[in-house]
Amino acid sequence: MAEKIPKSDRFEHLGNIVLTGDRPSGRLHIGHYAGSIQKRLEFQDQYDHNFIMIADMQALTDHAAGGEAVSQSVMQLAIDYLAVGLDPEKSTIFIQSLVPELTELTVLYMNFVSLARLKRNPTVKNEMQQKGFGETVPIGFLNYPVSQAADITAFMANLVPVGNDQLPMIEQTNEIVRSINYTYQAEVLRECEAIVSKTGRLPGTDGAAKMSKTVGNCIYLSDDEKTVKEKVMGMFTDPGHLRVEDPGKVEGNPVFTYLKAFDPDQDLVQEMADHYRRGGLGDVKVKRHLLEVMQDLLTPIRTRRAEYEKEQDQILAMLKENSAKASAIAHKTLTQLKQVMSLDY
Ligand code: TRP
């Protein structure tokens, strides 16, 4: 029977280290903003060590042939990051494939994970179904939670701001950490904790549970003013709210969900919600208010975005420089692990 290693303060001196990542698969939308960007902005001011990874290797795990689209998305994602206010002075923004130590760690971790365990990961299971993967699933795809464990542990990150769907990845990461630490009776890797935003997952403009590029129910951070207006004014509301006088439903009404996520004046939102429930508050009025809130949020992002679009050379240089820094840190972890695994020649 595996004995538990008593919890120690071996990593305490490192302080809090934050790591998150996104697959570069297109532009960021307001669901990303509510789900994890807000937290990242908070954390970069609160903690000394923040890492934000553009997961290009992971993006290839379900469409290896789409490398060109992935690499184009890398720049768009970096521009989105900068435009929302993630600051490369405070957050190390880097590209996964430029940190080869992550791949080496992944291969070492693979020895501690069974096929059955990979197939049991609920998020992977879901995605496999959605994508119609059966036994022909690429091994890289099935294995991406292991590579995610490498991404997190390489930097000794203990805080990982993610959406709900990523909780199984964190669980698997900690299993790998415990298994390796136990096997070598050395606390070489650090456990981590998921930080899930209170807002939870933002519904689509059509009221569907999830924003999805393919469905086309997202508001992108890069949408122009006119597009935002069309999308907000065309949003799904309570289908039972036919006349202004009718009582309306706030729950499951995405217009109110967005107001709760983004309006700085939550007292006003509460007032509007009460009024809507009683009846007498029209959908157009609520949407107009939401439009104002969204434009206030998105206009400065849009303006900065346009500036950064012109600075792609500098951005690429920044990404490369930060990736080199990330690589040096990951190298330390890899060296320590190889030592305990007797791979120190
Ligand atoms: N799986 C994440 C996504 O789909 C991206 C990711 C890769 C990640 N490695 C990570 C997130 C490590 C948090 C920590 O967006």
Side-chain angles (χ1 to χ4, degrees), residues 19-23 53 55 58 148 151-152 160 162 166:
L19 180 130
T20 49
D22 299 283
R23 291 184 191 194
M53 187 188 73
Q58 191 177 107
Q148 206 156 320
D151 303 336
I152 297 167
V160 189
V162 282
Q166 298 291 303

Side-chain angles (χ1 to χ4, degrees), residues 245-297:
E245 318 82 80
D246 293 339
K249 269 203 210 106
V250 166
E251 285 69 34
N253 184 333
V255 177
F256 277 98
T257 311
Y258 288 11
L259 281 174
K260 280 186 189 150
F262 298 113
D263 193 338
D265 187 352
Q266 286 297 311
D267 290 340
L268 178 63
V269 174
Q270 191 54 49
E271 241 170 71
M272 289 177 86
D274 292 341
H275 191 176
Y276 193 82
R277 282 200 188 95
R278 283 197 307 274
L281 179 59
D283 282 311
V284 173
K285 243 193 180 155
V286 191
K287 284 182 181 175
R288 281 220 184 99
H289 178 64
L290 175 63
L291 180 60
E292 217 173 286
V293 169
M294 293 319 303
Q295 301 288 27
D296 283 351
L297 174 76

Side-chain angles (χ1 to χ4, degrees), residues 228-335:
V228 174
K229 184 172 178 187
E230 279 165 11
K231 287 182 179 172
V232 170
M233 297 314 284
M235 274 178 77
F236 173 86
T237 60
D238 171 13
H241 188 236
L242 296 176
R243 290 165 308 170
V244 173
E245 318 82 80
D246 293 339
K249 269 203 210 106
V250 166
E251 285 69 34
N253 184 333
V255 177
F256 277 98
T257 311
Y258 288 11
L259 281 174
K260 280 186 189 150
F262 298 113
D263 193 338
D265 187 352
Q266 286 297 311
D267 290 340
L268 178 63
V269 174
Q270 191 54 49
E271 241 170 71
M272 289 177 86
D274 292 341
H275 191 176
Y276 193 82
R277 282 200 188 95
R278 283 197 307 274
L281 179 59
D283 282 311
V284 173
K285 243 193 180 155
V286 191
K287 284 182 181 175
R288 281 220 184 99
H289 178 64
L290 175 63
L291 180 60
E292 217 173 286
V293 169
M294 293 319 303
Q295 301 288 27
D296 283 351
L297 174 76
L298 296 175
T299 304
I301 296 176
R302 199 180 293 130
T303 312
R304 284 196 296 261
R305 218 182 181 288
E307 287 306 309
Y308 285 123
E309 282 279 359
K310 295 182 231 152
E311 295 175 11
Q312 298 192 22
D313 291 348
Q314 290 100 304
I315 294 175
L316 187 61
M318 176 279 284
L319 290 172
K320 285 185 176 170
E321 197 182 306
N322 277 338
S323 300
K325 272 189 218 160
S327 173
I329 296 169
H331 193 78
K332 266 196 193 163
T333 306
L334 180 61
T335 306

Side-chain angles (χ1 to χ4, degrees), residues 140-164:
F141 182 81
L142 203 56
N143 196 55
Y144 90 74
V146 181
S147 96
Q148 206 156 320
D151 303 336
I152 297 167
T153 52
F155 302 96
M156 297 289 166
N158 63 323
L159 304 177
V160 189
V162 282
N164 255 330

